């Protein structure tokens, strides 16, 4: 008995208490971590379950949205096809009108031209080129001016500029000096287009020959 009592007295109760407290604390921390882990796993499991439950509804909503988008796309394509057909029809009509105007101007025996506000020729017909005695390309732009020199046509450019500013038709005699040295006395008339809605987009002119002279 004495030996057992001495053996028990040899233990430090403080150390025993600290050891027990440390063990209990470790167990508590372990259980806390396990609880947190378990709680997180449970929340994730619940979230997955809810997501799976909502999946059919979401798929249905997406299918409806996709169907709506497809219908809207079909309608847009239908409208686009209709507009494309309308534009194609308009282009054909405009092409026909352009061909008719070109044919009328080109086959017209009266010398004709179309110019802009600066007096630059945009188009001339063959009859005009034959009257001057040159190629059509020589009359394009401002090329025609070398065949109507200012010394024999004083004030012509100024009169034309005045008509443009006032948006009115323009008419006056015009002497054309041909490349072969002969001179043609003509009358030129130019009208704005559109005539009643300024400013004009184009100026349409016609040249009629009065007589030809060898006097330069």
């Amino acid at each position: 008995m004495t030996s057992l009592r001495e053996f028990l007295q040899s233990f430090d109760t403080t150390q025993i208490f600290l050891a027990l407290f440390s063990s209990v604390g470790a167990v508590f921390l372990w259980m806390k971590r396990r609880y947190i882990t378990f709680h997180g796993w449970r929340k994730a499991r619940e979230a997955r379950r809810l997501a799976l439950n909502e999946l059919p509804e979401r798929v249905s909503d997406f299918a409806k949205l996709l169907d709506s988008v497809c219908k809207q796309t079909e309608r847009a394509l239908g409208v686009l096809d209709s507009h494309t057909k309308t534009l194609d029809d308009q282009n054909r009509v405009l092409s026909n009108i352009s061909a008719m105007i070109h044919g009328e101007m080109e086959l017209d025996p009266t010398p004709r031209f179309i110019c802009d506000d600066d007096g630059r020729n945009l188009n001339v017909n063959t009859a005009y080129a034959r009257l001057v005695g040159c190629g059509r390309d020589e009359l394009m732009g401002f090329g025609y001016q070398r065949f109507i020199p200012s010394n024999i046509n004083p004030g012509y450019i100024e009169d034309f500029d005045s008509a443009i500013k006032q948006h009115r038709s323009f008419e006056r005699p015009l002497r054309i000096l041909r490349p072969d040295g002969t001179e043609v006395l003509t009358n030129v008339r130019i009208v704005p287009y559109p005539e009643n809605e300024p400013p004009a987009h184009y100026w349409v002119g016609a040249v009629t020959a009065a007589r030809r002279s060898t006097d330069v």
Side-chain angles (χ1 to χ4, degrees):
M1 292 296 292
T2 303
S3 299
L4 177 61
R5 187 180 299 108
E6 293 175 353
F7 172 75
L8 292 174
Q9 290 176 352
S10 65
F11 285 103
D12 188 346
T13 55
T14 303
Q15 292 180 354
I16 295 173
F17 176 78
L18 291 175
L20 290 174
F21 181 79
S22 299
S23 299
V24 171
V27 171
F28 176 77
L29 290 175
W30 176 82
M31 291 181 65
K32 181 178 180 181
R33 292 194 186 99
R34 291 294 297 171
Y35 174 78
I36 293 173
T37 302
F38 174 77
H39 185 68
W41 170 82
R42 187 174 181 180
K43 288 183 64 177
R45 181 183 178 186
E46 183 67 17
R48 286 195 298 270
R49 186 182 66 79
L50 291 176
L52 289 174
N53 291 338
E54 294 175 355
L55 183 60
E57 184 178 354
R58 291 183 179 180
V59 171
S60 177
D61 292 341
F62 179 76
K64 292 178 182 178
L65 176 62
L66 183 61
D67 182 63
S68 175
V69 171
C70 290
K71 289 180 179 179
Q72 291 179 6
T73 302
E74 289 177 358
R75 286 195 294 268
L77 290 175
V79 172
L80 181 61
D81 289 340
S82 177
H83 286 176
T84 300
K85 184 179 182 302
T86 301
L87 290 175
D88 289 341
D89 292 341
Q90 290 177 348
N91 288 337
R92 281 193 292 272
V93 171
L94 291 175
S95 296
N96 292 337
I97 294 174
S98 178
M100 290 171 54
I101 293 174
H102 175 75
E104 289 179 358
M105 182 171 180
E106 183 61 22
L107 299 176
D108 193 339
T110 301
R112 296 186 181 278
F113 62 92
I114 299 174
C115 65
D116 60 16
D117 279 350
D118 296 325
R120 182 187 294 103
N121 274 348
L122 304 175
N123 194 13
V124 300
N125 66 356
T126 300
Y128 188 13
R130 288 174 179 171
L131 174 65
V132 180
C134 66
R136 290 176 56 184
D137 58 324
E138 295 180 84
L139 297 173
M140 296 296 291
F142 295 107
Y144 69 94
Q145 292 185 354
R146 68 189 182 95
F147 302 108
I148 55 170
S150 58
N151 62 323
I152 59 175
N153 294 285
Y156 173 79
I157 300 299
E158 291 77 10
D159 290 345
F160 178 59
D161 289 342
S162 176
I164 289 176
K165 292 177 181 178
Q166 299 176 32
H167 190 77
R168 59 176 174 81
S169 60
F170 168 71
E171 184 173 4
R172 60 160 285 170
L174 182 68
R175 304 175 77 93
I176 297 177
L177 183 62
R178 293 163 55 92
D180 61 6
T182 59
E183 184 181 305
V184 182
L185 180 61
T186 67
N187 189 69
V188 62
R189 174 173 171 78
I190 307 174
V191 296
Y193 177 83
E195 189 169 6
N196 299 320
E197 296 179 6
H201 301 307
Y202 307 101
W203 292 78
V204 182
V207 183
T208 54
R211 64 179 176 83
R212 182 177 299 177
S213 172
T214 56
D215 300 330
V216 180

